[in-house]
Amino acid sequence: MYENKEEYEAIVRRRLIALEWAVGHPIEHGAGGLCPRCGLSGNFDVEGLGFSRGNSIYFSTVYQEWRCRVCDYRTIH
């Protein structure tokens, strides 16, 4: 079963705290950075599902990891 919007936001908040601790600095919505999975440059989408413009970095509850749109493209091709 998929989570609802509130459940997804709670998951992202928890995972964002862990990611910020790992990288050593705060991460804000829209901030530039590197995808934790593949290392490519992108912008963090911590308020959505990774559908913003450019290479969005978002938390995937399907894969249980931070990933970017390029990671998604590589997965299906």
Side-chain angles (χ1 to χ4, degrees), residues 1 11 17 20-22 24 26 28 30 34-35 39-41 43 45 52 54 56 60 62 69-70 72:
M1 176 181 266
I11 292 167
I17 290 168
E20 289 174 333
W21 183 83
E28 295 186 20
L34 301 177
C35 173
L40 288 177
S41 180
N43 294 311
D45 184 358
S52 60
S56 295
S60 168
V62 173
R69 302 312 290 175
V70 173
D72 290 342

Side-chain angles (χ1 to χ4, degrees), residues 1-76:
M1 176 181 266
Y2 293 101
E3 62 280 340
N4 64 32
K5 184 178 188 287
E6 292 79 19
E7 292 167 335
Y8 178 76
E9 289 171 351
I11 292 167
V12 170
R13 279 193 303 274
R14 286 192 309 271
R15 297 298 183 123
L16 183 60
I17 290 168
L19 179 61
E20 289 174 333
W21 183 83
V23 298
H25 60 81
I27 296 171
E28 295 186 20
H29 178 72
L34 301 177
C35 173
R37 182 174 188 273
C38 72
L40 288 177
S41 180
N43 294 311
F44 282 93
D45 184 358
V46 297
E47 296 177 0
L49 298 171
F51 296 113
S52 60
R53 294 184 342 177
N55 188 30
S56 295
I57 303 167
Y58 70 102
F59 186 78
S60 168
T61 56
V62 173
Y63 294 100
Q64 293 296 308
E65 67 182 359
W66 288 95
R67 58 191 291 128
C68 68
R69 302 312 290 175
V70 173
C71 292
D72 290 342
Y73 178 79
R74 289 177 178 163
T75 300
I76 61 173

